Amino acid sequence: MLVAIDDRDTVGAVDTRLLRTFVTLARAGSFTAAARALHLAQSTVTVHIRTLERELGTPLFDRMPSGTVPTRAGARLLEEAEEVLDAVARLRATAATASGQGDAAGGAVEGQVAVGAGDSLCASRLPGVIASLRRTHPRLDVELHAADTATAVDGLRTGRLDIAVLLEPEVDESDLLARRIADEPLAYVAAPGHPLAQRAAGWAELADECFFVHEEGCSYSDRLVRTLRGLPGARPRITRFGSIDAARSCVAAGLGLTLLPRVTVERHLHEGRLTVVDGPEAPPVPVQLVRHRKRWFAPGAQIVAEELTRAFTAA
């Protein structure tokens, strides 16, 4: 699709694919990261940016050893480009409704909705929600992307994600809208044969234990690590994984403890592979439903947000 962009005294037609590549590169900070986010070859990203710079008649990025940084012109273009892409999304939604493909015209809602969430939710609650949506809205393609908070926030800003579901006490970003839809209980767990299994344990007993927790950027894991390392004389042994499965497997093998959302270990507790440790209070972690404040929230995204809210509220 082509859009008209007023560049000083000239008007040129710019392919919106180039604008999407530009916005993604500006947010990602490198050609490699942008290519990965867009599922394009790095050479294609390079061609898109060079073409856009040629059409607009100005460099948009400074190429630095550490990555790419928007020039002054690039920084000014970024917000405008995001608004253009948002307008294109609105036009497509309006066209779908007018042609009888949208909900307002009595047809089934269709399109793609990208949802980002942390590993714990991707492995527990979200697959069931997406399965339900596929039954009730078969023409709605819901994509689930595993992402930590920083990656999800960046995805919302670049348009790679429509919705993020985050386990965070709060989301304090001026360009994002966050709504708390639930609280996720946490549990300390260990293998059934662990000395602390099924009994009360205070911080003094946990201070020298081995903990296998989620990677840095996970709010509840970060809080646990800070607390353990702040205990007087404590020498906690902490291993961090990008996968909850890895942490859970180490704990099930009797190597130590972990702190995870209870929903992610419920089956393992039922099967007797893990057991609860009655440790210090671990407040439930809020579940935040997040979207971009300015970007068009398409009918399909609204349906997904409503189903997520319903599912988490009912859990």
Side-chain angles (χ1 to χ4, degrees), residues 1 27 29 48 85 98 109 159 166 170 193 211 224:
M1 181 176 291
R27 296 302 187 190
H48 282 188
L85 294 174
V109 174
L166 305 178
E170 60 182 15
F211 273 88
L224 172 65

Side-chain angles (χ1 to χ4, degrees), residues 7-289:
D7 181 25
R8 295 186 177 90
D9 297 325
T10 64
V11 176
V14 177
D15 191 329
T16 54
R17 291 175 300 175
L18 306 184
L19 292 181
R20 185 168 298 282
T21 301
F22 162 74
V23 169
T24 303
L25 178 57
R27 296 302 187 190
S30 75
F31 282 88
T32 301
R36 184 166 55 247
L38 292 165
H39 304 290
L40 295 174
Q42 186 171 329
S43 59
T44 303
V45 174
T46 300
V47 169
H48 282 188
I49 296 303
R50 286 178 177 170
T51 302
L52 186 60
E53 289 178 327
R54 183 173 63 252
E55 292 184 357
L56 297 181
T58 184
L60 298 174
F61 291 96
D62 288 323
R63 279 70 166 175
M64 313 291 287
S66 58
T68 55
V69 179
T71 61
R72 184 177 179 183
R76 292 178 61 186
L77 177 64
L78 181 58
E79 185 173 349
E80 300 292 335
E82 289 181 326
E83 290 181 2
V84 168
L85 294 174
D86 183 58
V88 169
R90 291 174 184 266
L91 285 171
R92 286 176 174 162
T94 300
T97 299
S99 65
Q101 299 175 13
D103 191 58
V109 174
E110 62 179 29
Q112 288 187 333
V113 180
V115 179
D119 186 57
S120 58
L121 293 179
C122 287
S124 55
R125 299 205 186 278
L126 293 185
V129 176
I130 293 176
S132 175
L133 283 165
R134 286 183 177 176
R135 290 191 298 270
T136 57
H137 297 84
R139 295 171 66 179
L140 192 60
D141 182 13
V142 183
E143 299 177 347
L144 181 58
H145 300 267
D148 60 22
T149 296
T151 303
V153 166
D154 185 65
L156 291 170
R157 286 173 171 160
T158 60
R160 297 195 307 273
L161 296 178
D162 300 293
I163 298 169
V165 187
L166 305 178
L167 294 177
E168 290 289 344
E170 60 182 15
V171 179
D172 188 18
E173 303 288 345
S174 61
D175 56 341
L176 302 180
L177 285 174
R179 178 163 54 91
R180 184 172 180 166
I181 59 173
D183 291 302
E184 199 66 67
L186 300 174
Y188 297 96
V189 293
H194 193 280
L196 298 181
Q198 294 185 325
R199 72 175 185 84
W203 286 116
E205 291 177 281
L206 298 184
D208 295 324
E209 286 292 334
C210 294
F211 273 88
F212 298 88
V213 297
H214 206 30
E215 62 188 344
E216 190 172 351
C218 170
S219 62
Y220 57 86
S221 294
D222 288 348
R223 182 174 58 198
L224 172 65
V225 170
R226 285 195 303 269
T227 301
L228 288 170
R229 288 177 173 166
L231 296 172
R235 300 178 61 185
R237 290 159 288 174
I238 297 168
T239 302
R240 307 197 75 153
F241 291 108
S243 163
I244 282 182
D245 281 340
R248 210 164 37 199
S249 296
C250 288
V251 171
L255 300 181
L257 289 80
T258 189
L259 176 68
L260 290 172
R262 176 138 186 155
V263 67
T264 66
V265 295
E266 206 68 72
R267 178 167 58 87
H268 300 75
L269 294 172
H270 179 73
E271 294 172 351
R273 288 187 284 164
L274 293 174
T275 190
V276 172
V277 173
D278 185 12
E281 181 183 6
V285 59
V287 181
Q288 306 280 359
L289 185 69

